[in-house]
Amino acid sequence: MIGDIIETKDCQLKDPMDLFNSGQVVKICAPMVRYSKLAFRTLVRKYSCDLCYTPMIVAADFVRSAKARDSEFTTNKGDHPLIVQFAAKEAQVLCDAARIVCPYADGIDLNCGCPQRWAMAEGYGACLINKPELIRDMVRHVRNQIDNPRFSVSIKIRIHEDLKRTVDLCQKAEATGVSWITVHGRSVEERHQPVHYDAIKIIKQSVSIPIVANGDIKTLKDAENVHRLTGADGVMVARGLLANPAMFAGYEETPLKCIQDWVDIALEHGTPFTCFHHHLMYMMEHITSKQEKRVFNVLSSTSAVLDYLNDHYGV
């Protein structure tokens, strides 16, 4: 972490709130386990992505272990504005984690939306939407202990079956000083059901801080529709950007230039082969035939991938 990070210390960090006050819909790359790392953030920023999140980091491990910090958090001068997302359940632990990243990032986000069983069992993620007082304590602690008033503190949630409870949670979070709230428009139990954009609209109308809409946004047109339906101040995209990192720039599918950019960035960053290859598999999903996929998806070295791209696409 620190090797990449030292140069960032003196640079002028950007204020994400300026984006929300710009009057434009803020285009955001979601926190994605294994995928929204520095190299990929560098790529999407080239294609009109305004704000990027790190993958979710367990705050307790991050605070306790230098090894966890080195493997989980890498950034550089161009990687702004940047939000570090933490899974936490104790106010002081979240605070300590925020303090560590504060010189290098523009804000932190508390994950209150992850529905995975392990996270819920540990008291992280979506189970926090039923603990508004705990969220309040965690946000308040960070607000009180981080000196930089421009450092944002946001939360990412799922919705309750009873939307009144979600509205109440959001209003309490606003009163505590949360910078903005990202709403994934599904309940904890819902996985592939349609997103409740109407719920996001009601939440947006119930608070005066920015609201970010998340869920099933695959194209720039989807993003514009969701903004129209919900009135949200920003849109957060996960799978849509994996499949097409250039989507915010208006491309319908991944352009070859973007694939070339990924190769250059990934090699420059020393991206591990599995991650390098997986990203390409996602990006090329819609532009390769079944037969090509069968060959490309089983390649097992960087040189084999580079040869394939050169032979078939001139990349």
Side-chain angles (χ1 to χ4, degrees):
M1 165 182 100
I2 299 300
D4 270 330
I5 243 172
I6 287 297
E7 59 182 308
T8 319
K9 188 116 187 179
D10 301 318
C11 80
Q12 183 55 53
L13 300 192
K14 297 171 186 170
D15 183 351
M17 290 309 294
D18 291 345
L19 289 171
F20 287 109
N21 295 329
S22 70
Q24 303 293 312
V25 183
V26 183
K27 302 190 280 292
I28 304 171
C29 177
M32 291 179 273
V33 178
R34 293 187 300 279
Y35 291 121
S36 51
K37 297 209 163 191
L38 176 60
F40 187 69
R41 298 194 301 264
T42 305
L43 178 67
V44 294
R45 289 185 195 280
K46 283 180 80 100
Y47 290 92
S48 304
C49 184
D50 300 316
L51 180 63
C52 291
Y53 281 53
T54 66
M56 180 182 80
I57 298 168
V58 177
D61 298 342
F62 189 77
V63 169
R64 195 171 46 235
S65 153
K67 191 176 174 199
R69 292 195 287 278
D70 288 344
S71 67
E72 298 283 338
F73 182 55
T74 338
T75 187
N76 62 21
K77 233 183 222 161
D79 190 28
H80 292 285
L82 175 66
I83 305 300
V84 183
Q85 192 189 62
F86 286 113
K89 57 184 174 183
E90 293 158 292
Q92 194 52 52
V93 172
L94 180 63
C95 229
D96 294 342
R99 257 213 214 92
I100 293 168
V101 300
C102 183
Y104 316 112
D106 305 279
I108 62 153
D109 184 81
L110 175 62
N111 184 315
C112 307
C114 178
Q116 290 183 36
R117 278 204 195 91
W118 75 265
M120 306 270 285
E122 292 284 339
Y124 298 136
C127 69
L128 291 175
I129 63 174
N130 299 317
K131 300 177 181 175
E133 285 71 26
L134 179 54
I135 293 175
R136 184 191 61 204
D137 289 349
M138 289 199 272
V139 171
R140 218 170 249 170
H141 251 70
V142 178
R143 278 271 174 253
N144 290 341
Q145 292 186 37
I146 298 286
D147 293 335
N148 179 1
R150 291 167 71 84
F151 191 76
S152 66
V153 183
S154 55
I155 62 174
K156 182 172 189 288
I157 65 170
R158 282 187 171 236
I159 58 173
H160 296 88
E161 297 290 343
D162 175 3
L163 194 62
K164 285 197 206 72
R165 294 180 64 198
T166 317
V167 168
D168 181 59
L169 169 73
C170 293
Q171 288 172 337
K172 282 180 173 154
E174 176 178 22
T176 307
V178 159
S179 306
W180 69 85
I181 300 172
T182 300
V183 183
H184 182 102
R186 290 186 176 99
S187 70
V188 176
E189 288 73 33
E190 291 176 320
R191 289 295 187 275
H192 304 292
Q193 291 88 335
V195 176
H196 302 285
Y197 295 120
D198 52 336
I200 301 177
K201 180 180 182 175
I202 290 165
I203 293 164
K204 170 63 191 160
Q205 290 167 344
S206 309
V207 295
S208 52
I209 53 172
I211 293 293
V212 173
N214 173 228
D216 277 4
I217 299 168
K218 304 271 172 41
T219 63
L220 187 58
K221 200 167 262 149
D222 288 346
E224 287 160 357
N225 286 341
V226 168
H227 168 64
R228 196 171 39 77
L229 287 168
T230 62
D233 305 271
V235 289
M236 178 183 277
V237 180
R239 286 198 194 96
L241 278 173
L242 280 182
N244 178 8
M247 72 163 259
F248 282 142
Y251 291 91
E252 294 290 314
E253 55 187 32
T254 312
L256 284 181
K257 170 81 172 77
C258 182
I259 292 171
Q260 179 70 66
D261 285 336
W262 171 244
V263 169
D264 295 343
I265 291 166
L267 294 180
E268 188 189 328
H269 284 262
T271 301
F273 172 73
T274 308
C275 180
F276 169 64
H277 188 214
H278 276 188
H279 272 298
L280 286 168
M281 281 155 62
Y282 278 117
M283 287 180 209
M284 295 165 67
E285 175 72 23
H286 299 301
I287 54 178
T288 51
S289 66
K290 270 193 180 139
Q291 200 176 352
E292 283 182 310
K293 281 186 189 64
R294 273 201 291 275
V295 176
F296 184 79
N297 293 0
V298 296
L299 296 176
S300 57
S301 70
T302 301
S303 56
V305 167
L306 295 177
D307 288 345
Y308 183 95
L309 290 174
N310 188 27
D311 294 347
H312 291 76
Y313 297 99
V315 168

